[in-house]
Amino acid sequence: MDLLIEKGDSRTYLSQLKVLVTKFEEGAPAITRNSTQIQGRNGNVDFGGWHTSKEIEVEGFYRADDLDEETILRERLYALLSDTDGFYITEMRGELTPDFERPGENEGNLYEQLTTRPSHKRFFVYAKSVEPELQGNIGGAVLYKLTMTFITMKLPYGESVPRDLAIKLNVPYYGKNLMINTTGNIPPSINGAYSNSTGSVILSSGGETSLKVTGSPSEFYYRFMIPKIGEMYGFNPGSTYVISGKLLNSSGGKVIIRSQVTGGDGAWHSITETEVKPGKFSAKIPIPLNSASFFTSIQQLNFEPGYEFSFSKIKIESGETVTPYSPSPSDPGYNKWYLNTYYNTDNLVIPYAGTVPCSQLEQGFIIEFTAKEGGSGLKVDLNGTKLTYSGQVYSDDVFKLSGYEYTKNGISIVKSTNKAYFKLLPGITNKISSSLAGEIRILNFQNLYA
């Protein structure tokens, strides 16, 4: 075993001072209660209690070649441990290696054979007592037992190392949708019949598009782009794309994804004619290197009057991997989708693993909220406790809420809040949410252990 002493950026192990730690025992947090006795009433009236401090006892041994070296070691130990400003101690757990050996099998310094790992918690303490005790002269060296008692100074708990924690949604990767008119609520650039525009009808609503044959068209399709000589619609010659979507139904005939390009001769050529069945589908679109124009469509073959088909969630993206559907950045509903996908703060989970409540007023963690949309007022809810701000909020405003200080973009907003403070609770799912879309971080996040 070993003991790590941390003072700011300085880290010292007791083994560096020739101390071999053999015992690390922490007590339970001491409890103080507030109670009073009322005349004529049996017992006491209790007004609650609180934890005050925790005591940690550490023992070890150190050896010196002579009394002069022992004096130097003792002075360094006192200087390290008798610090009125306090310091952090961490138990370094481990064993001597190798675990089993015969006498005389291994040689070398015992401290070099220590294999340790830090505990998941540390304590901010002062040294109540540091007591060396002479054990005797062993092999020409003096051996001392060292007994140390530490008392916590701030929190009567073990603390994890603080960190800033981003509370994020588990969002899958969405490739950029390069298609146009993906919502299905905008009439396509050209649709229906190739030579007879009255040969079919189209209906776009609620993200679904349906077509039905009403006359005698020569072709029956939905084109997502107008075929224009010289127009590539942002697609690159020599690149491969993948189109995906959902065919909702088809009353008859073969439904295909068809993509066409023009080359050096200016004539249209099909590069994709992939059959799709009702349900989710995908098809690769390899665009030849010499392509000068491009468009794609969904088309039904072998049709008759009354035939129909419908589709939704059309997406074209770069590469050959299909990612979940997302609207095109040019679609009217894209911004709302983007906010709901990446900045939705409904019931985000804070992974608190402590064993005692962690209060802002005691531990000092800060909730940082960065708005991604504007609104009148803001509500932040953690485990049913609501903090409200009555002022105007604009996108990219940064709020820092610490329980005793409340700022927006660095300016105090205490008077515009209800001055609520938050607690992280053990043994439950700690959920946080806000009334506006945004980013939430927990600054100075720690787990606290009794």
Side-chain angles (χ1 to χ4, degrees), residues 24 95 133 201 228 233 248 290 341 365 373 376 378 386 400 432 447:
F24 185 100
E95 302 291 341
E133 179 183 354
V201 294
K228 291 182 180 180
Y233 291 100
L248 301 176
N290 64 343
T341 301
F365 69 88
E373 66 174 339
S376 178
L378 171 66
K386 295 182 176 63
K400 290 187 177 181
I432 187 170
N447 294 310

Side-chain angles (χ1 to χ4, degrees), residues 74-122:
R74 183 181 299 202
E75 289 172 348
R76 293 177 63 187
L77 284 168
Y78 286 170
L80 177 67
L81 301 176
S82 296
D83 190 331
T84 58
D85 293 331
F87 47 85
Y88 278 102
I89 62 171
T90 303
E91 178 188 8
M92 303 296 295
R93 299 172 179 172
E95 302 291 341
L96 294 175
T97 58
D99 295 325
F100 302 99
E101 63 180 48
R102 291 186 296 271
E105 183 176 2
N106 286 280
E107 297 180 357
N109 194 321
L110 180 63
Y111 304 103
E112 296 175 354
Q113 301 177 34
L114 285 172
T115 301
T116 59
R117 64 186 186 278
S119 170
H120 62 284
K121 57 186 175 181
R122 61 182 188 168

Side-chain angles (χ1 to χ4, degrees), residues 338-339 343 368-375 378 392-400 407-410 436-439:
Y338 189 86
L339 285 177
Y343 299 109
E368 181 186 78
F369 174 80
T370 302
K372 293 301 178 182
E373 66 174 339
L378 171 66
Q392 183 66 35
V393 179
Y394 299 94
S395 182
D396 293 327
D397 279 347
V398 179
F399 294 81
K400 290 187 177 181
T407 64
K408 183 179 78 169
N409 303 325
L436 298 176
E439 290 180 324

Side-chain angles (χ1 to χ4, degrees), residues 355-370:
T355 60
V356 292
C358 180
S359 170
Q360 280 190 303
L361 300 184
E362 297 169 353
Q363 184 269 340
F365 69 88
I366 299 170
I367 293 179
E368 181 186 78
F369 174 80
T370 302

Side-chain angles (χ1 to χ4, degrees), residues 77-390:
L77 284 168
Y78 286 170
L80 177 67
L81 301 176
S82 296
D83 190 331
T84 58
D85 293 331
F87 47 85
Y88 278 102
I89 62 171
T90 303
E91 178 188 8
M92 303 296 295
R93 299 172 179 172
E95 302 291 341
L96 294 175
T97 58
D99 295 325
F100 302 99
E101 63 180 48
R102 291 186 296 271
E105 183 176 2
N106 286 280
E107 297 180 357
N109 194 321
L110 180 63
Y111 304 103
E112 296 175 354
Q113 301 177 34
L114 285 172
T115 301
T116 59
R117 64 186 186 278
S119 170
H120 62 284
K121 57 186 175 181
R122 61 182 188 168
F123 304 87
F124 189 73
V125 299
Y126 71 94
K128 179 181 178 182
S129 63
V130 180
E131 300 176 358
E133 179 183 354
L134 178 64
Q135 300 297 294
N137 189 322
I138 301 177
V142 289
L143 180 67
Y144 276 79
K145 179 180 181 180
L146 183 65
T147 302
M148 298 159 283
T149 301
F150 300 98
I151 307 293
T152 54
M153 290 181 62
K154 295 180 180 178
L155 295 173
Y157 309 120
E159 310 171 26
S160 66
V161 176
R163 60 192 174 106
D164 293 342
L165 178 67
I167 311 299
K168 294 183 177 179
L169 290 164
N170 185 18
V171 179
Y173 170 72
Y174 292 93
K176 182 180 179 181
N177 195 344
L178 305 175
M179 184 65 87
I180 62 174
N181 298 343
T182 62
T183 60
N185 295 319
I186 305 172
S189 301
I190 184 169
N191 68 85
Y194 178 76
S195 60
N196 181 0
S197 61
T198 62
S200 64
V201 294
I202 180 173
L203 176 65
S204 291
S205 177
E208 299 180 3
T209 300
S210 61
L211 292 89
K212 185 175 182 178
V213 178
T214 58
S216 302
S218 57
E219 288 190 270
F220 183 45
Y221 54 70
Y222 181 110
R223 286 180 178 170
F224 297 98
M225 306 98 165
I226 298 174
K228 291 182 180 180
I229 300 298
E231 178 60 72
M232 290 294 298
Y233 291 100
F235 295 89
N236 299 318
S239 298
T240 297
Y241 300 87
V242 61
I243 183 171
S244 59
K246 187 174 184 180
L247 183 62
L248 301 176
N249 64 69
S250 174
S251 60
K254 181 180 179 181
V255 179
I256 63 170
I257 293 294
R258 187 180 188 188
S259 300
Q260 295 176 268
V261 298
T262 62
D265 58 0
W268 289 101
H269 304 277
S270 292
I271 57 172
T272 301
E273 289 190 1
T274 304
E275 181 179 5
V276 296
K277 301 289 187 179
K280 293 182 179 179
F281 65 82
S282 64
K284 293 180 183 178
I285 305 177
I287 300 180
L289 191 60
N290 64 343
S291 300
S293 315
F294 169 80
F295 79 92
T296 188
S297 61
I298 184 169
Q299 184 167 351
Q300 190 176 55
L301 308 179
N302 306 319
F303 57 88
E304 297 178 5
Y307 275 22
E308 59 185 349
F309 69 92
S310 60
F311 59 88
S312 66
K313 297 185 177 180
I314 299 295
K315 181 175 185 177
I316 293 184
E317 52 195 315
S318 181
E320 300 183 10
T321 302
V322 176
T323 65
Y325 171 77
S326 58
S328 167
S330 62
D331 288 344
Y334 178 80
N335 289 340
K336 183 178 181 181
W337 171 87
Y338 189 86
L339 285 177
N340 289 339
T341 301
Y342 292 100
Y343 299 109
N344 185 347
T345 61
D346 291 341
N347 295 325
L348 297 177
V349 174
I350 300 175
Y352 182 66
T355 60
V356 292
C358 180
S359 170
Q360 280 190 303
L361 300 184
E362 297 169 353
Q363 184 269 340
F365 69 88
I366 299 170
I367 293 179
E368 181 186 78
F369 174 80
T370 302
K372 293 301 178 182
E373 66 174 339
S376 178
L378 171 66
K379 293 181 181 179
V380 178
D381 186 317
L382 174 57
N383 295 330
T385 299
K386 295 182 176 63
L387 183 138
T388 60
Y389 167 66
S390 58

